[in-house]
Every structure is written in C-alpha cells, then in structure tokens.
Amino acid sequence: MTDFQFSKAYPSQYLRCPDLNGKECTLTVKSWRYINTKKDLGDDGRPMKGIVLAFNETPKEYVSGVTVFRQIQQVLGFDPNTWIDKTITFYPTTCRFGKDANHPCIRVKTS
C-alpha cells in the first residue's frame, strides 16, 4: 500500500500544514520577499498578505502571516534581512480561521 501524501493529492508551491506530516520541520531561510498580490494567490484564488520565505531544503515557499512573522521575529530578530542562512523550526497545530476553531496551521517554535 502507498503512503498518502497530501501534497501529491493537492499540489501547491507553498508549504502548508499537511506537508509537515504531523512532525516538526527545521528549514534554513534562503531569502524573503514581499507578497506579489497578482502572483501570490491562496488555494481559494484570493490574494494573500504577508511576506514569502524561501528555504534551502525545499522548493516550497512559505507565506508568513502576521502571527508567524512575529514568532520568527522572536527567534531571529526584527529585520527579515538578518534571517538569511538562519534556521526556523515549524510545527503543525490548529488555530482559529474564520468560523473554524480547529483549522490546520503552521507555527514557529519560539523556545
């Protein structure tokens, strides 16, 4: 029997909670950029907000909203330019998203 991989069934260029397969994941920041509201669209087709992080270990990018941005700042400092070549440990969890109190999401370990 084949192991199920969410990202194969529902591909995306962005790192999402199911991509972590229930495990922590440490990645090295390669670069960051501001969201391009014409190019960076969510799975629902709407423009996203935040910054986009690229990593050395994966071609997938991560769109960081304000909550995760602040968590990364706690770990790596205020300026994203100083995050390059530093590592971030992501973990899967749930959060409130609209009316969904248990929406799968990614957070950053801050300690």
Side-chain angles (χ1 to χ4, degrees):
M1 180 162 56
T2 303
D3 289 335
F4 176 75
Q5 291 183 341
F6 182 88
S7 61
K8 285 188 177 182
Y10 305 97
S12 173
Q13 74 184 66
Y14 302 108
L15 184 66
R16 298 171 296 174
C17 188
D19 296 324
L20 299 181
N21 293 318
K23 301 175 188 169
E24 291 183 359
C25 178
T26 300
L27 299 173
T28 308
V29 179
K30 179 168 54 174
S31 62
W32 74 274
R33 63 182 172 82
Y34 291 109
I35 287 281
N36 176 333
T37 55
K38 291 185 174 47
K39 175 185 167 231
D40 298 309
L41 304 175
D43 291 338
D44 60 2
R46 296 185 315 191
M48 295 185 281
K49 296 178 184 176
I51 66 168
V52 180
L53 298 173
F55 305 99
N56 293 332
E57 296 83 358
T58 179
K60 288 198 172 206
E61 296 179 312
Y62 179 72
V63 178
S64 175
V66 68
T67 299
V68 171
F69 183 82
R70 288 180 179 150
Q71 289 176 324
I72 296 170
Q73 284 182 317
Q74 287 179 6
V75 177
L76 300 182
F78 181 78
D79 184 356
N81 291 305
T82 65
W83 302 354
I84 309 305
D85 294 325
K86 294 184 181 172
T87 59
I88 303 169
T89 300
F90 293 101
Y91 67 94
T93 188
T94 58
C95 59
R96 176 171 292 285
F97 185 75
K99 294 181 180 181
D100 184 358
N102 294 305
H103 189 78
C105 67
I106 295 176
R107 294 292 186 243
V108 169
K109 287 186 86 169
T110 57
S111 59

Short mmCIF file of all heavy atoms in Angstrom, two decimals, residues 38-64:
data_model
loop_
_atom_site.label_atom_id
_atom_site.label_comp_id
_atom_site.label_asym_id
_atom_site.label_seq_id
_atom_site.Cartn_x
_atom_site.Cartn_y
_atom_site.Cartn_z
N LYS A 38 -0.62 39.96 -7.37
CA LYS A 38 -1.09 39.41 -8.64
C LYS A 38 -0.63 37.96 -8.82
O LYS A 38 -1.30 37.16 -9.44
CB LYS A 38 -0.62 40.27 -9.80
CG LYS A 38 -1.28 41.63 -9.83
CD LYS A 38 -0.87 42.41 -11.06
CE LYS A 38 -1.58 43.71 -11.25
NZ LYS A 38 -1.71 44.58 -10.15
N LYS A 39 0.53 37.62 -8.26
CA LYS A 39 1.11 36.28 -8.45
C LYS A 39 0.82 35.34 -7.28
O LYS A 39 0.58 34.16 -7.48
CB LYS A 39 2.62 36.43 -8.62
CG LYS A 39 3.36 35.12 -8.71
CD LYS A 39 4.85 35.34 -8.77
CE LYS A 39 5.56 34.04 -8.54
NZ LYS A 39 6.56 34.05 -7.54
N ASP A 40 0.87 35.85 -6.08
CA ASP A 40 0.74 35.02 -4.88
C ASP A 40 -0.72 34.94 -4.45
O ASP A 40 -1.22 35.80 -3.73
CB ASP A 40 1.60 35.58 -3.74
CG ASP A 40 3.08 35.58 -4.10
OD1 ASP A 40 3.58 34.53 -4.52
OD2 ASP A 40 3.72 36.63 -3.94
N LEU A 41 -1.38 33.89 -4.92
CA LEU A 41 -2.79 33.69 -4.60
C LEU A 41 -2.94 32.45 -3.73
O LEU A 41 -2.23 31.46 -3.90
CB LEU A 41 -3.60 33.53 -5.89
CG LEU A 41 -3.48 34.67 -6.89
CD1 LEU A 41 -4.25 34.33 -8.16
CD2 LEU A 41 -3.97 35.97 -6.30
N GLY A 42 -3.87 32.49 -2.81
CA GLY A 42 -4.16 31.35 -1.96
C GLY A 42 -4.83 30.25 -2.74
O GLY A 42 -5.19 30.41 -3.92
N ASP A 43 -5.03 29.12 -2.09
CA ASP A 43 -5.70 27.99 -2.74
C ASP A 43 -7.11 28.36 -3.18
O ASP A 43 -7.66 27.74 -4.08
CB ASP A 43 -5.75 26.79 -1.79
CG ASP A 43 -4.37 26.18 -1.56
OD1 ASP A 43 -3.48 26.39 -2.40
OD2 ASP A 43 -4.20 25.51 -0.54
N ASP A 44 -7.68 29.38 -2.53
CA ASP A 44 -9.03 29.83 -2.90
C ASP A 44 -9.02 30.88 -4.01
O ASP A 44 -10.05 31.40 -4.39
CB ASP A 44 -9.75 30.37 -1.67
CG ASP A 44 -9.03 31.55 -1.03
OD1 ASP A 44 -7.98 31.98 -1.55
OD2 ASP A 44 -9.51 32.04 0.00
N GLY A 45 -7.80 31.23 -4.52
CA GLY A 45 -7.68 32.19 -5.61
C GLY A 45 -7.61 33.64 -5.17
O GLY A 45 -7.45 34.52 -6.00
N ARG A 46 -7.72 33.89 -3.87
CA ARG A 46 -7.67 35.27 -3.38
C ARG A 46 -6.23 35.68 -3.08
O ARG A 46 -5.41 34.84 -2.70
CB ARG A 46 -8.52 35.42 -2.12
CG ARG A 46 -10.00 35.18 -2.38
CD ARG A 46 -10.85 35.45 -1.18
NE ARG A 46 -10.27 34.88 0.03
CZ ARG A 46 -10.90 34.79 1.18
NH1 ARG A 46 -12.13 35.22 1.30
NH2 ARG A 46 -10.32 34.27 2.24
N PRO A 47 -5.91 36.98 -3.23
CA PRO A 47 -4.57 37.45 -2.90
C PRO A 47 -4.26 37.22 -1.41
O PRO A 47 -5.13 37.31 -0.56
CB PRO A 47 -4.62 38.95 -3.19
CG PRO A 47 -5.79 39.14 -4.09
CD PRO A 47 -6.76 38.05 -3.74
N MET A 48 -3.00 36.90 -1.13
CA MET A 48 -2.57 36.68 0.25
C MET A 48 -1.90 37.94 0.79
O MET A 48 -1.59 38.85 0.04
CB MET A 48 -1.60 35.50 0.30
CG MET A 48 -2.27 34.19 -0.10
SD MET A 48 -1.20 32.77 0.09
CE MET A 48 -0.19 32.88 -1.36
N LYS A 49 -1.67 37.96 2.10
CA LYS A 49 -0.99 39.07 2.76
C LYS A 49 0.22 38.53 3.50
O LYS A 49 0.21 37.40 3.96
CB LYS A 49 -1.92 39.74 3.78
CG LYS A 49 -3.14 40.38 3.18
CD LYS A 49 -4.01 40.97 4.28
CE LYS A 49 -5.29 41.53 3.70
NZ LYS A 49 -6.20 42.01 4.74
N GLY A 50 1.25 39.35 3.61
CA GLY A 50 2.43 38.97 4.38
C GLY A 50 3.69 38.98 3.54
O GLY A 50 3.79 39.69 2.55
N ILE A 51 4.66 38.17 4.00
CA ILE A 51 5.89 38.01 3.24
C ILE A 51 6.03 36.54 2.85
O ILE A 51 5.39 35.67 3.43
CB ILE A 51 7.14 38.48 4.03
CG1 ILE A 51 7.39 37.60 5.25
CG2 ILE A 51 7.03 39.94 4.41
CD1 ILE A 51 8.75 37.83 5.89
N VAL A 52 6.87 36.30 1.87
CA VAL A 52 7.11 34.94 1.38
C VAL A 52 8.55 34.58 1.70
O VAL A 52 9.48 35.32 1.38
CB VAL A 52 6.87 34.85 -0.15
CG1 VAL A 52 7.12 33.44 -0.64
CG2 VAL A 52 5.46 35.31 -0.50
N LEU A 53 8.72 33.42 2.35
CA LEU A 53 10.05 32.93 2.67
C LEU A 53 10.41 31.77 1.75
O LEU A 53 9.56 30.92 1.47
CB LEU A 53 10.10 32.43 4.12
CG LEU A 53 9.82 33.47 5.20
CD1 LEU A 53 9.73 32.79 6.56
CD2 LEU A 53 10.88 34.55 5.20
N ALA A 54 11.66 31.75 1.30
CA ALA A 54 12.19 30.62 0.53
C ALA A 54 13.26 29.95 1.38
O ALA A 54 13.91 30.59 2.22
CB ALA A 54 12.78 31.11 -0.78
N PHE A 55 13.45 28.63 1.16
CA PHE A 55 14.34 27.84 2.01
C PHE A 55 15.33 27.04 1.17
O PHE A 55 15.06 26.73 0.02
CB PHE A 55 13.51 26.88 2.87
CG PHE A 55 12.48 27.58 3.68
CD1 PHE A 55 11.15 27.62 3.26
CD2 PHE A 55 12.82 28.23 4.86
CE1 PHE A 55 10.19 28.27 4.00
CE2 PHE A 55 11.85 28.89 5.60
CZ PHE A 55 10.54 28.92 5.17
N ASN A 56 16.44 26.69 1.78
CA ASN A 56 17.45 25.89 1.11
C ASN A 56 17.00 24.45 0.90
O ASN A 56 17.36 23.83 -0.09
CB ASN A 56 18.76 25.88 1.91
CG ASN A 56 19.42 27.24 1.96
OD1 ASN A 56 19.26 28.05 1.05
ND2 ASN A 56 20.14 27.51 3.03
N GLU A 57 16.23 23.91 1.82
CA GLU A 57 15.91 22.48 1.83
C GLU A 57 14.73 22.08 0.96
O GLU A 57 14.53 20.88 0.74
CB GLU A 57 15.63 22.02 3.27
CG GLU A 57 16.80 22.12 4.21
CD GLU A 57 17.00 23.51 4.82
OE1 GLU A 57 16.22 24.44 4.49
OE2 GLU A 57 17.93 23.65 5.61
N THR A 58 13.93 23.03 0.50
CA THR A 58 12.73 22.68 -0.26
C THR A 58 12.42 23.77 -1.29
O THR A 58 12.69 24.95 -1.04
CB THR A 58 11.50 22.50 0.68
OG1 THR A 58 10.35 22.18 -0.11
CG2 THR A 58 11.21 23.74 1.50
N PRO A 59 11.84 23.39 -2.43
CA PRO A 59 11.42 24.41 -3.39
C PRO A 59 10.15 25.13 -2.95
O PRO A 59 9.80 26.17 -3.50
CB PRO A 59 11.18 23.62 -4.67
CG PRO A 59 10.88 22.23 -4.21
CD PRO A 59 11.67 22.04 -2.94
N LYS A 60 9.44 24.58 -1.96
CA LYS A 60 8.20 25.21 -1.49
C LYS A 60 8.51 26.48 -0.72
O LYS A 60 9.46 26.53 0.07
CB LYS A 60 7.40 24.25 -0.61
CG LYS A 60 6.77 23.14 -1.41
CD LYS A 60 5.68 22.49 -0.63
CE LYS A 60 4.93 21.52 -1.53
NZ LYS A 60 3.58 21.32 -1.11
N GLU A 61 7.70 27.49 -0.94
CA GLU A 61 7.82 28.75 -0.21
C GLU A 61 6.77 28.77 0.91
O GLU A 61 5.80 28.01 0.87
CB GLU A 61 7.57 29.92 -1.15
CG GLU A 61 8.60 30.04 -2.26
CD GLU A 61 8.29 31.20 -3.18
OE1 GLU A 61 7.13 31.33 -3.62
OE2 GLU A 61 9.21 31.97 -3.45
N TYR A 62 7.00 29.62 1.89
CA TYR A 62 6.04 29.76 2.99
C TYR A 62 5.55 31.20 3.04
O TYR A 62 6.36 32.13 3.11
CB TYR A 62 6.68 29.37 4.32
CG TYR A 62 5.72 29.53 5.47
CD1 TYR A 62 4.64 28.66 5.62
CD2 TYR A 62 5.84 30.57 6.36
CE1 TYR A 62 3.73 28.82 6.65
CE2 TYR A 62 4.94 30.73 7.40
CZ TYR A 62 3.89 29.86 7.54
OH TYR A 62 2.99 30.02 8.55
N VAL A 63 4.25 31.37 3.02
CA VAL A 63 3.65 32.70 3.15
C VAL A 63 3.41 32.94 4.63
O VAL A 63 2.62 32.25 5.27
CB VAL A 63 2.33 32.81 2.36
CG1 VAL A 63 1.71 34.18 2.56
CG2 VAL A 63 2.57 32.53 0.89
N SER A 64 4.11 33.92 5.16
CA SER A 64 4.04 34.20 6.59
C SER A 64 3.06 35.32 6.86
O SER A 64 3.27 36.46 6.46
CB SER A 64 5.43 34.59 7.11
OG SER A 64 5.34 34.97 8.46
#
